Amino acid sequence: MSFVTIDNIFQSYGPRPILERVSTSVDEGEFISIVGASGCGKSTFLRLLLAEEQPTRGEIRIDGNPPAREPGIERGVVFQRYSVFPHMTVMDNVLAAESFGTRFGFLPRKARKGARDRAMATLDRIGLAHAADLYPTALSGGMQQRLAIGQALTATPRILLLDEPFGALDPGTRLQMHDFLMELREETGMTVFMVTHDLDEGFKLGDRVLVFDKPRWDPTDPDIIGATITYDFDARNGGIPFQTIKEETHVLHPA
Amino acid sequence: MRLINQKPGRVLALFLAILPFLAVLLAYKMGSDARLAVNPSDKLLPAISTIVDTAERLFTQPDRRSGRILLWHDTAISLQRLALGTGIAALGGLAFGLAIGLLPHARSTLSGFVSVASMVPPLAILPILFIVFGLGETSKVMLIVIGIMPFLIRDLSQRVLDIPHEQIIKAQTLGASTGVIALRVALPQLMPNLIQSVRLSLGPAWLFLIAAEAIASDLGLGYRIFLVRRYLAMDVILTYVIWITLLAFVIDWALKQTARKAFPWSGEAL
Ligand SMILES: Nc1ncnc2c1ncn2[C@@H]1O[C@H](COP(=O)(O)OP(=O)(O)OP(=O)(O)O)[C@@H](O)[C@H]1O
Ligand SMILES: [Mg+2]
């Protein structure tokens, strides 16, 4: 059953098409990696999923709902940078996921204790309990991204969008973050879209790897053709397809 | 070693910092001595000792006619005008800055107008203020407000626009309404900038204050300076100038400390 339906999306800025004819559907709980050359429109695609922009044509539906017109609580996002609020402590950043939804952005006094306990549990889970009272500038890049992911997940979005979330991290921290993300995913069963420049990362984490590229090449003006999904790899089982046997092998087939 | 890589040690740095002050003092003393040697009753460059005596008298002895120590009264009323003016301008700057920075409709409506309005020379409309608001407190406070608010609005709205767009998007995905984004994302990040911009506009604020007081007032630091100018009382003027400078310096320093203390996350930006 398709959870996210992307139906014939076109996006252009002015006369310049960036994306064209992008269609796919994604099941609930799938992890989609998105790769492609720099500037081909991956972030644009994510912005469309986020409803930060509207496509010039086509529509995106989550769970059959009408297309969203602005970002909201059902979509979570982590960018490569600037995803956490620098003026809030680590604790307040996680609490923001609960308090921002209120009328004035502050939790009522009686709800505060419970929220703090939940936030502390989240911080424990993402390994930042010791840093609860620090400001994000005091955290390393990996810790900031962990906080950003924890913050996004606290709001329990329906889909999580990651734009090169580990792009600015060193290889060791990156590997730790992979484990961290895999575990969280196991726990939450979240539907994830992740843009990455690292093919290995894409195949390692994703169930599917979507490749964005221009489908044709116009020799006179390469810019008049937008990118689309040119490959859709099955990335489960280390990217080797047909490893899961679909038939029941222990049943006697009638001759 | 290149000049750009040569750094003074601590003692030398301190000495270098004091040096220009000493130089000015010395130059003044030499000028004053030279003039007094020719004409002992010269009023233009009174001896430093005369200034100190005058300062002591101004700070401690009540006025013969009114029985009040005028300098303190001048200071109180001037600071009150300054605080009111900058306070109102800061609040207006915050409100309009947030609106212009966050709301595309407000931006379309106001940003052009504010750019044009900030080009109006405030002192040129001082007469209008006197006509409209009379010669009382309102016109003086208004001059400060009109003088510095356009700058504050432009500066603060730009700061709001400088907040990484990612943060605004992130806040929306956490369910924040426009109001919550203004209150919890933009406003707190604007506060250090507000203090910074107010610090920058205190110079102009003093200028407008003294100008307004010089023209129409019967109390205030600026009024006093322009009053005693008629008697060529350089010792009084210099005392007031040094006092105003000191006040301005202390206010600036206090604002800087406040920002450091209140916004630890803003780091070295201040
Ligand atoms: N708001 C915009 N207005 C005009 N052009 C834009 C806008 N946003 C993106 N573009 C252009 O669209 C193209 C695709 O941009 P996008 O950021 O989606 O690429 P990307 O695949 O994410 O690249 P990278 O791997 O470098 O992040 C780029 O050429 C960019 O210049
Ligand atoms: Mg990108």
Side-chain angles (χ1 to χ4, degrees), chain B residues 78 81-82 122-123 125-127 129-130 134-145 204-224 226:
Chain B
S78 286
R81 288 165 185 157
L82 192 74
L123 284 178
I125 55 170
L126 183 55
L129 294 180
F130 282 141
L135 298 178
E137 292 302 296
T138 321
S139 53
K140 301 182 190 72
V141 173
M142 278 308 287
L143 179 66
I144 299 178
V145 173
W206 276 104
L207 166 74
F208 298 133
L209 173 72
I210 291 174
E213 287 181 342
I215 294 172
S217 188
D218 46 18
L219 206 56
L221 297 166
Y223 162 72
R224 195 70 52 200
F226 278 80

Side-chain angles (χ1 to χ4, degrees), chain B:
Chain B
M1 202 154 68
R2 289 181 187 81
L3 274 176
I4 54 165
N5 292 326
Q6 293 178 19
K7 296 176 186 129
R10 273 183 44 153
V11 180
L12 183 59
L14 191 69
F15 172 72
L16 288 175
I18 298 175
L19 195 60
F21 293 98
L22 282 180
V24 169
L25 214 63
L26 196 70
Y28 181 87
K29 190 171 160 35
M30 278 160 56
S32 162
D33 284 354
R35 286 188 72 103
L36 288 171
V38 178
N39 172 13
S41 59
D42 178 69
K43 294 193 95 175
L44 213 57
L45 297 179
I48 292 177
S49 56
T50 316
I51 299 178
V52 172
D53 288 346
T54 306
E56 207 183 313
R57 178 170 57 80
L58 288 172
F59 274 102
T60 54
Q61 288 180 18
D63 177 51
R64 249 169 290 145
R65 222 169 346 119
S66 56
R68 302 184 301 185
I69 303 180
L70 288 178
L71 187 134
W72 293 112
H73 283 275
D74 287 336
T75 306
I77 192 82
S78 286
L79 286 184
Q80 185 193 326
R81 288 165 185 157
L82 192 74
L84 266 176
T86 36
I88 293 171
L91 284 181
L94 261 188
F96 282 106
L98 278 174
I100 293 173
L102 287 176
L103 310 174
H105 279 96
R107 186 150 62 242
S108 303
T109 315
L110 291 175
S111 67
F113 179 74
V114 172
S115 311
V116 173
S118 68
M119 294 301 155
V120 177
L123 284 178
I125 55 170
L126 183 55
I128 305 179
L129 294 180
F130 282 141
I131 293 168
V132 175
F133 295 109
L135 298 178
E137 292 302 296
T138 321
S139 53
K140 301 182 190 72
V141 173
M142 278 308 287
L143 179 66
I144 299 178
V145 173
I146 291 178
I148 65 177
M149 201 159 84
F151 163 74
L152 287 174
I153 294 177
R154 286 177 69 172
D155 195 54
L156 292 175
S157 58
Q158 189 53 48
R159 298 297 169 170
V160 178
L161 288 169
D162 287 345
I163 294 176
H165 196 59
E166 285 91 337
Q167 282 184 33
I168 308 288
I169 297 290
K170 180 84 183 205
Q172 294 181 58
T173 64
L174 299 180
S177 62
T178 303
V180 170
I181 291 174
L183 202 63
R184 299 263 353 240
V185 180
L187 182 63
Q189 297 197 61
L190 213 51
M191 290 312 287
N193 291 314
L194 174 71
I195 292 191
Q196 191 70 358
S197 325
V198 166
R199 281 177 65 196
L200 284 177
S201 42
L202 269 173
W206 276 104
L207 166 74
F208 298 133
L209 173 72
I210 291 174
E213 287 181 342
I215 294 172
S217 188
D218 46 18
L219 206 56
L221 297 166
Y223 162 72
R224 195 70 52 200
I225 293 183
F226 278 80
L227 181 74
V228 300
R229 181 189 60 121
R230 297 186 207 145
Y231 319 116
L232 259 183
M234 278 296 275
D235 47 348
V236 178
I237 295 180
L238 284 172
T239 305
Y240 267 77
V241 168
I242 294 169
W243 176 234
I244 291 173
T245 310
L246 197 70
L247 285 175
F249 186 81
V250 168
I251 294 173
D252 185 64
W253 180 84
L255 284 173
K256 188 164 139 189
Q257 292 305 316
T258 311
R260 281 245 177 91
K261 288 258 160 54
F263 313 111
W265 49 269
S266 64
E268 293 307 306
L270 290 164

Side-chain angles (χ1 to χ4, degrees), chain A residues 168-183:
Chain A
L169 305 181
D170 66 87
T173 312
R174 226 171 226 251
L175 289 179
Q176 287 171 14
M177 293 299 290
H178 291 169
D179 295 341
F180 170 69
L181 190 58
M182 303 267 249
E183 285 166 26

